Amino acid sequence: QVQLVESGGGLVQAGGSRRLSCAASGFIFSINAMAWYRQAPGKQRELVAHITSGGSTNYADSVKGRFTISRDNAKDTVYLQMNSLKPEDTAVYYCHFPGLYRSYWGQGTQVTVSS
């Protein structure tokens, strides 16, 4: 079955960096797009970054120039490098696989940015 396991969250000071990882299993990772979403308290879940199987990327305007999504097909892992973090980046970050018939989500990893 599909599993997505995120790691790398934690507490970081404003201006700092953090790298999230999402280890995937249960599907052919290399031929599928992947994405990172986030959900802040009281807000809807929003798309942060997306990467195609070929490595093309796109980002939410709020993170452009600060976050980088990447993938390692040899490790079935997608990453989110977050730089210049701001308090408004505080959220639970979720790994997402848009499967053929349904979406799959990881359990989420909390990122808290202190001012």
Side-chain angles (χ1 to χ4, degrees):
Q1 70 275 24
V2 172
Q3 283 193 316
L4 303 170
V5 180
E6 300 103 335
S7 61
L11 177 65
V12 60
Q13 288 190 334
S17 298
R18 202 83 182 177
R19 189 177 82 155
L20 305 182
S21 300
C22 171
S25 61
F27 63 101
I28 304 174
F29 180 82
S30 61
I31 64 171
N32 282 284
M34 296 292 295
W36 285 96
Y37 283 72
R38 68 185 180 187
Q39 187 166 19
K43 295 189 176 181
Q44 288 191 330
R45 194 170 295 190
E46 62 174 358
L47 176 66
V48 175
H50 177 271
I51 185 167
T52 67
S53 58
S56 297
T57 58
N58 63 70
Y59 299 91
D61 287 344
S62 59
V63 307
K64 278 181 183 175
R66 300 188 298 121
F67 289 13
T68 302
I69 188 171
S70 62
R71 63 191 299 156
D72 185 339
N73 290 338
K75 296 182 178 179
D76 288 356
T77 300
V78 62
Y79 303 98
L80 186 68
Q81 178 66 44
M82 305 183 293
N83 298 329
S84 302
L85 282 161
K86 305 174 181 180
E88 51 263 44
D89 294 318
T90 295
V92 178
Y93 285 72
Y94 296 92
C95 182
H96 177 248
F97 163 49
L100 186 60
Y101 300 110
R102 53 155 289 189
S103 283
Y104 295 88
W105 299 91
Q107 81 284 359
T109 186
Q110 175 72 45
V111 174
T112 302
V113 184
S114 63
S115 56

mmCIF file of all heavy atoms in Angstrom, residues 57-78:
data_model
loop_
_atom_site.group_PDB
_atom_site.id
_atom_site.type_symbol
_atom_site.label_atom_id
_atom_site.label_comp_id
_atom_site.label_asym_id
_atom_site.label_seq_id
_atom_site.Cartn_x
_atom_site.Cartn_y
_atom_site.Cartn_z
ATOM 1 N N THR A 57 9.224 22.197 -11.678
ATOM 2 C CA THR A 57 8.700 22.614 -10.375
ATOM 3 C C THR A 57 7.829 23.860 -10.486
ATOM 4 O O THR A 57 7.964 24.646 -11.430
ATOM 5 C CB THR A 57 9.855 22.927 -9.412
ATOM 6 O OG1 THR A 57 10.681 23.957 -9.980
ATOM 7 C CG2 THR A 57 10.714 21.693 -9.169
ATOM 8 N N ASN A 58 6.929 24.004 -9.543
ATOM 9 C CA ASN A 58 6.243 25.268 -9.366
ATOM 10 C C ASN A 58 5.948 25.477 -7.891
ATOM 11 O O ASN A 58 5.924 24.512 -7.115
ATOM 12 C CB ASN A 58 4.988 25.396 -10.231
ATOM 13 C CG ASN A 58 3.943 24.371 -9.888
ATOM 14 O OD1 ASN A 58 3.335 24.424 -8.840
ATOM 15 N ND2 ASN A 58 3.737 23.424 -10.783
ATOM 16 N N TYR A 59 5.767 26.744 -7.529
ATOM 17 C CA TYR A 59 5.692 27.130 -6.120
ATOM 18 C C TYR A 59 4.561 28.122 -5.863
ATOM 19 O O TYR A 59 4.189 28.901 -6.739
ATOM 20 C CB TYR A 59 7.010 27.803 -5.702
ATOM 21 C CG TYR A 59 8.213 26.914 -5.836
ATOM 22 C CD1 TYR A 59 8.950 26.885 -7.013
ATOM 23 C CD2 TYR A 59 8.606 26.087 -4.787
ATOM 24 C CE1 TYR A 59 10.047 26.061 -7.148
ATOM 25 C CE2 TYR A 59 9.700 25.259 -4.912
ATOM 26 C CZ TYR A 59 10.422 25.250 -6.092
ATOM 27 O OH TYR A 59 11.506 24.424 -6.221
ATOM 28 N N ALA A 60 4.081 28.104 -4.635
ATOM 29 C CA ALA A 60 3.184 29.157 -4.200
ATOM 30 C C ALA A 60 3.957 30.471 -4.197
ATOM 31 O O ALA A 60 5.160 30.495 -3.904
ATOM 32 C CB ALA A 60 2.663 28.850 -2.795
ATOM 33 N N ASP A 61 3.257 31.547 -4.511
ATOM 34 C CA ASP A 61 3.921 32.853 -4.552
ATOM 35 C C ASP A 61 4.591 33.185 -3.226
ATOM 36 O O ASP A 61 5.645 33.823 -3.190
ATOM 37 C CB ASP A 61 2.906 33.944 -4.911
ATOM 38 C CG ASP A 61 2.493 33.894 -6.360
ATOM 39 O OD1 ASP A 61 3.183 33.246 -7.170
ATOM 40 O OD2 ASP A 61 1.452 34.492 -6.693
ATOM 41 N N SER A 62 3.992 32.743 -2.139
ATOM 42 C CA SER A 62 4.489 33.095 -0.811
ATOM 43 C C SER A 62 5.835 32.460 -0.474
ATOM 44 O O SER A 62 6.509 32.904 0.459
ATOM 45 C CB SER A 62 3.466 32.698 0.257
ATOM 46 O OG SER A 62 3.201 31.314 0.197
ATOM 47 N N VAL A 63 6.232 31.434 -1.233
ATOM 48 C CA VAL A 63 7.495 30.751 -0.922
ATOM 49 C C VAL A 63 8.506 30.820 -2.056
ATOM 50 O O VAL A 63 9.637 30.347 -1.904
ATOM 51 C CB VAL A 63 7.257 29.277 -0.525
ATOM 52 C CG1 VAL A 63 6.227 29.169 0.593
ATOM 53 C CG2 VAL A 63 6.844 28.430 -1.727
ATOM 54 N N LYS A 64 8.131 31.411 -3.184
ATOM 55 C CA LYS A 64 9.049 31.505 -4.323
ATOM 56 C C LYS A 64 10.335 32.213 -3.922
ATOM 57 O O LYS A 64 10.306 33.255 -3.270
ATOM 58 C CB LYS A 64 8.385 32.253 -5.475
ATOM 59 C CG LYS A 64 7.471 31.403 -6.317
ATOM 60 C CD LYS A 64 6.860 32.214 -7.459
ATOM 61 C CE LYS A 64 5.888 31.378 -8.257
ATOM 62 N NZ LYS A 64 5.199 32.161 -9.297
ATOM 63 N N GLY A 65 11.440 31.641 -4.324
ATOM 64 C CA GLY A 65 12.733 32.225 -4.018
ATOM 65 C C GLY A 65 13.283 31.818 -2.657
ATOM 66 O O GLY A 65 14.450 32.093 -2.351
ATOM 67 N N ARG A 66 12.458 31.181 -1.843
ATOM 68 C CA ARG A 66 12.901 30.756 -0.502
ATOM 69 C C ARG A 66 12.886 29.235 -0.339
ATOM 70 O O ARG A 66 13.742 28.689 0.367
ATOM 71 C CB ARG A 66 12.001 31.372 0.577
ATOM 72 C CG ARG A 66 11.993 32.886 0.588
ATOM 73 C CD ARG A 66 11.249 33.429 1.804
ATOM 74 N NE ARG A 66 9.844 33.043 1.831
ATOM 75 C CZ ARG A 66 9.267 32.356 2.821
ATOM 76 N NH1 ARG A 66 9.975 31.976 3.881
ATOM 77 N NH2 ARG A 66 7.966 32.050 2.762
ATOM 78 N N PHE A 67 11.921 28.569 -0.967
ATOM 79 C CA PHE A 67 11.773 27.120 -0.841
ATOM 80 C C PHE A 67 12.177 26.446 -2.154
ATOM 81 O O PHE A 67 11.953 26.995 -3.237
ATOM 82 C CB PHE A 67 10.325 26.745 -0.540
ATOM 83 C CG PHE A 67 9.843 27.104 0.845
ATOM 84 C CD1 PHE A 67 10.555 27.955 1.681
ATOM 85 C CD2 PHE A 67 8.647 26.577 1.312
ATOM 86 C CE1 PHE A 67 10.094 28.279 2.946
ATOM 87 C CE2 PHE A 67 8.176 26.883 2.583
ATOM 88 C CZ PHE A 67 8.899 27.739 3.387
ATOM 89 N N THR A 68 12.714 25.240 -2.026
ATOM 90 C CA THR A 68 13.075 24.446 -3.195
ATOM 91 C C THR A 68 12.603 23.017 -2.999
ATOM 92 O O THR A 68 12.958 22.377 -2.004
ATOM 93 C CB THR A 68 14.592 24.459 -3.423
ATOM 94 O OG1 THR A 68 15.046 25.800 -3.584
ATOM 95 C CG2 THR A 68 14.941 23.651 -4.676
ATOM 96 N N ILE A 69 11.817 22.525 -3.954
ATOM 97 C CA ILE A 69 11.395 21.129 -3.941
ATOM 98 C C ILE A 69 12.323 20.351 -4.868
ATOM 99 O O ILE A 69 12.714 20.836 -5.927
ATOM 100 C CB ILE A 69 9.917 20.978 -4.366
ATOM 101 C CG1 ILE A 69 9.441 19.544 -4.163
ATOM 102 C CG2 ILE A 69 9.698 21.449 -5.796
ATOM 103 C CD1 ILE A 69 7.929 19.367 -4.365
ATOM 104 N N SER A 70 12.682 19.151 -4.431
ATOM 105 C CA SER A 70 13.539 18.304 -5.251
ATOM 106 C C SER A 70 13.183 16.852 -4.982
ATOM 107 O O SER A 70 12.433 16.548 -4.046
ATOM 108 C CB SER A 70 15.021 18.561 -4.950
ATOM 109 O OG SER A 70 15.324 18.243 -3.597
ATOM 110 N N ARG A 71 13.735 15.964 -5.802
ATOM 111 C CA ARG A 71 13.433 14.551 -5.632
ATOM 112 C C ARG A 71 14.661 13.727 -5.914
ATOM 113 O O ARG A 71 15.509 14.112 -6.734
ATOM 114 C CB ARG A 71 12.281 14.140 -6.539
ATOM 115 C CG ARG A 71 12.546 14.263 -8.030
ATOM 116 C CD ARG A 71 11.254 14.082 -8.839
ATOM 117 N NE ARG A 71 10.679 12.761 -8.615
ATOM 118 C CZ ARG A 71 9.387 12.484 -8.785
ATOM 119 N NH1 ARG A 71 8.546 13.419 -9.190
ATOM 120 N NH2 ARG A 71 8.947 11.257 -8.575
ATOM 121 N N ASP A 72 14.745 12.588 -5.255
ATOM 122 C CA ASP A 72 15.794 11.613 -5.496
ATOM 123 C C ASP A 72 15.092 10.300 -5.833
ATOM 124 O O ASP A 72 14.606 9.593 -4.941
ATOM 125 C CB ASP A 72 16.679 11.463 -4.259
ATOM 126 C CG ASP A 72 17.863 10.538 -4.484
ATOM 127 O OD1 ASP A 72 17.814 9.711 -5.420
ATOM 128 O OD2 ASP A 72 18.825 10.625 -3.713
ATOM 129 N N ASN A 73 15.023 9.983 -7.106
ATOM 130 C CA ASN A 73 14.292 8.786 -7.536
ATOM 131 C C ASN A 73 14.984 7.495 -7.092
ATOM 132 O O ASN A 73 14.332 6.461 -6.965
ATOM 133 C CB ASN A 73 14.106 8.793 -9.044
ATOM 134 C CG ASN A 73 13.122 9.854 -9.500
ATOM 135 O OD1 ASN A 73 12.281 10.314 -8.721
ATOM 136 N ND2 ASN A 73 13.230 10.273 -10.754
ATOM 137 N N ALA A 74 16.268 7.563 -6.844
ATOM 138 C CA ALA A 74 16.985 6.367 -6.367
ATOM 139 C C ALA A 74 16.588 6.029 -4.931
ATOM 140 O O ALA A 74 16.683 4.881 -4.503
ATOM 141 C CB ALA A 74 18.482 6.583 -6.457
ATOM 142 N N LYS A 75 16.139 7.052 -4.204
ATOM 143 C CA LYS A 75 15.750 6.853 -2.801
ATOM 144 C C LYS A 75 14.241 6.957 -2.590
ATOM 145 O O LYS A 75 13.773 6.875 -1.451
ATOM 146 C CB LYS A 75 16.450 7.890 -1.915
ATOM 147 C CG LYS A 75 17.955 7.756 -1.888
ATOM 148 C CD LYS A 75 18.582 8.783 -0.948
ATOM 149 C CE LYS A 75 20.094 8.623 -0.892
ATOM 150 N NZ LYS A 75 20.720 9.627 0.005
ATOM 151 N N ASP A 76 13.489 7.162 -3.666
ATOM 152 C CA ASP A 76 12.035 7.330 -3.560
ATOM 153 C C ASP A 76 11.690 8.396 -2.515
ATOM 154 O O ASP A 76 10.816 8.196 -1.656
ATOM 155 C CB ASP A 76 11.354 6.002 -3.193
ATOM 156 C CG ASP A 76 11.358 5.014 -4.351
ATOM 157 O OD1 ASP A 76 11.809 5.382 -5.451
ATOM 158 O OD2 ASP A 76 10.924 3.869 -4.142
ATOM 159 N N THR A 77 12.365 9.500 -2.608
ATOM 160 C CA THR A 77 12.217 10.547 -1.608
ATOM 161 C C THR A 77 12.072 11.903 -2.278
ATOM 162 O O THR A 77 12.768 12.200 -3.245
ATOM 163 C CB THR A 77 13.422 10.550 -0.648
ATOM 164 O OG1 THR A 77 13.510 9.281 0.011
ATOM 165 C CG2 THR A 77 13.286 11.639 0.412
ATOM 166 N N VAL A 78 11.180 12.707 -1.734
ATOM 167 C CA VAL A 78 11.020 14.095 -2.164
ATOM 168 C C VAL A 78 11.389 14.992 -0.997
ATOM 169 O O VAL A 78 11.117 14.651 0.163
ATOM 170 C CB VAL A 78 9.591 14.354 -2.685
ATOM 171 C CG1 VAL A 78 8.541 14.124 -1.613
ATOM 172 C CG2 VAL A 78 9.463 15.747 -3.269
#
